[in-house]
Amino acid sequence: MQVFKNYLERFAKLNQEEWKLIESKVKTATLEKGEYFLRQGEVNKKLGFIRSGVCRYTFLNEQDEEITKYFIREQQ
């Protein structure tokens, strides 16, 4: 959580009440290599933050081939 807090503090200073609200909503998840954060066609109801590692953003083209659009790095 501290890495996420440090990241947010780069953009805005939040008071204790605001931090408590954020902490009450944040859930930590770990994705293993090959797991998906969100699959094509699903409705996204989450916000992600990469604490450690790299995430690859992909999509399926008309031939159902997985195409890499970009990579998301740590602290993004």
Side-chain angles (χ1 to χ4, degrees):
M1 179 64 83
Q2 190 60 47
V3 174
F4 184 57
K5 283 183 176 183
N6 293 344
Y7 176 78
L8 291 180
E9 285 283 333
R10 293 173 32 198
F11 304 101
K13 298 294 179 196
L14 302 173
N15 63 40
Q16 289 299 321
E17 185 177 317
E18 291 166 326
W19 279 122
K20 284 182 183 181
L21 176 61
I22 290 170
E23 288 176 334
S24 73
K25 304 295 181 185
V26 170
K27 295 179 185 172
T28 301
T30 301
L31 295 179
E32 298 298 327
K33 184 177 181 177
E35 281 188 271
Y36 291 89
F37 181 77
L38 183 72
R39 291 187 176 272
Q40 189 163 316
E42 293 179 344
V43 175
N44 188 16
K45 296 182 180 182
K46 308 180 272 189
L47 175 67
F49 178 79
I50 309 296
R51 186 176 64 199
S52 175
V54 175
C55 187
R56 183 171 60 113
Y57 180 92
T58 64
F59 66 94
L60 296 176
N61 66 11
E62 296 81 20
Q63 293 79 31
D64 282 336
E65 298 169 320
E66 190 173 84
I67 306 297
T68 299
K69 189 166 184 178
Y70 53 84
F71 292 92
I72 305 166
R73 298 178 288 123
E74 290 181 4
Q75 299 188 22
Q76 290 187 321

